[in-house]
Amino acid sequence: MCGIIGYIGERKACEVIVKGLKRLEYRGYDSVGVVTEEKGKLYVKKGVGSVDEVVEKLKLLEMPGKRGVGHTRWATHGVPNDINAHPQRDCTGKIALVHNGIIENFAELKEELIRKGHRFESDTDTEVIAHLIEEELKSSGNFEDALRRALLKLKGSFALGVVYTEEPDRLYFVRNESPLVLGIGKGEMFAASDVPAFLEYTNKVVFLDDMEYAIVTKNSWVVKRLETGEKVEKEIRTIDWTLEMAEKSGFPHFMLKEIFEQPRVLRDAIHGNAKVVSEVAREIADYDKIFIVAMGTSYHAALVGKYLFQRLAKKVPIVEDASEFRYEFEDLVDENSLVIAITQSGETADTLAAMKLAKRKGAKVLAIVNVVGSMATRIADLTLYTHAGPEIGVAATKTYTTQLAVLTMLAIELARILKTENRERLDELEEDLRKLPGLVEEILKMNESLLELAKDLKEKRDFFYIGRGIGVPTALEGALKLKEISYIHAEGLSAGELKHGPLALIEEGVPVVAVAPNGKTFDKMLSNIEEAKARGAYIISLGSSERLREVSDVFIEMPKLNELLTPIPYIVPLQLLAYHLAVLRGNNPDKPRNLAKSVTVE
Ligand code: AGP
């Protein structure tokens, strides 16, 4: 959950690295470090703080050299401090490296290395790697060979950028279970945890797979297998993201920009999948044993997917949090199973582990992913992309609604193939889905009024989000958005559950956000709202019925829609409400405390 960037070429390496680090800061932001090399000497600067703070404090932009690597850290082993910041070095100071991941067997390795006389400075697992390479170099004499032998001793996940003073024309990059991508320029090369870090310079990329390493000079690159040292043929891919897409475009925060991008990316998701969804639907239509696995917001998309599959395709998927799936369903997944994994990053460790288990058991695996070429797409048999572009804000917004669009298309297509629904009804639903981007555009016009509402609510300590049926995942997601960025306690639950306990927490002025579209449970929902209101709750409702308006303190009017299409538009005001509450409370919504964009450790 750290960010890595590397550069070799004719530019001042520190400038490229610092820019890259700023774009990677969403991956981790407790400390920052850079190593550059010039004339066989390494220059290392690192410290605690944001990229801007460390750049200023340590004068990172004055570092000499035309090759180097940088790192922005999200601590796993060792508290955030200057010594634990990366790069980490060996005893000779000739090897410096940056690392994203966790070395599980670092304690044993460290003990053995200390016995052999190595001196450690930090508490990190990363430093072990530098000393291990140094140790292997003693018997090998060849750096590449020593690197391979050292890395084969590691258990865990690692993406690495490595500089060695004695080989002044090259950098090494390694990947195992943590993302790493090469950027191929003309007379210069890049590597990073994520494409936006170097997108300003090149959009030609090569994705490394697990247990692969790359040797990169300014004019060449080669990728090899870690186990054998054999060369691997890799495809250069062209990424169609512009730099502007990866930057804030004038919005104060990435999160707000990404909320406002939803009409466009929803159109992209719908158009981009028009053909491929039918192909995928044909391939999966015969499966009856279906699991949907995901984490966090993607898990809420999975829950919406369940309702869509049930109502339209008459299939009943089991939706499971990926971190539980591996342990609970190990014996139940088999070659007759379809496992659908939903992950925006394609790098979430729990989701990848669930996918790998499914593959081992012979299941068919379909991934719904945003990041092209990410690990999930390489594990899956089939992939549907959400086409949302890079999402930098830690809180998932546009990737969620595009996941919902893809799931809706898939469920409609399955229903067509299986003839589980009336053809005209499906056509109508599809037509209405195509209108959603326009409706979301209208909903975004509520931004100012949602800011005003947030001002009224900013001192509240607890929120409840309730829904029924397909509204339940929206309630859960609304609550997740609020807690992760505003740090206000929020609970999402089915409205029917209120009376079974949580109602005891409702007292005068407690906000209850009711997701209440017209549909088969609307009347029941109204009764639940009344129950909360009778205990003093402050009712904020989303819906399109006049009866709902009458019982609400605040009514957020939504377009009249088929209930199955409501999860996309209904989440948008809740994203905006959470955003404004976070900002009004002085938080940076792009970088919520304790959280990282992709959770690449289990
Ligand atoms: C939500 O705002 C969070 N960013 C988080 O819950 C996220 O959805 C989860 O970590 C899963 O990420 P993924 O979609 O990249 O797998």
Side-chain angles (χ1 to χ4, degrees), residues 132-138 140-152:
L132 206 54
I133 302 171
E134 177 195 1
E135 187 60 31
E136 291 296 333
L137 204 49
K138 287 180 191 160
S140 158
N142 171 312
F143 187 78
E144 182 182 342
D145 190 44
L147 178 85
R148 277 189 43 235
R149 287 190 356 210
L151 297 187
L152 289 174

Side-chain angles (χ1 to χ4, degrees), residues 502-552:
L503 198 58
L505 295 169
I506 304 292
E507 52 188 20
E508 199 57 40
V510 171
V512 170
V513 180
V515 177
N518 292 347
K520 59 180 179 183
T521 55
F522 178 72
D523 287 337
K524 288 272 181 307
M525 190 66 195
L526 270 188
S527 316
N528 298 135
I529 292 171
E530 293 284 9
E531 285 153 16
K533 200 176 157 72
R535 272 89 189 164
Y538 184 73
I539 305 292
I540 301 159
S541 69
L542 291 90
S544 52
S545 140
E546 282 309 307
R547 283 164 67 208
L548 184 66
R549 187 196 296 270
E550 282 158 23
V551 298
S552 306

Side-chain angles (χ1 to χ4, degrees), residues 295-298 342-345 348 394-396 403 480-481 484 599:
M295 300 300 292
T297 291
S298 295
I342 307 179
T343 165
Q344 92 76 23
S345 62
T348 296
V394 168
Q403 286 168 349
L480 174 62
K481 285 290 87 82
E484 73 178 320
V599 183

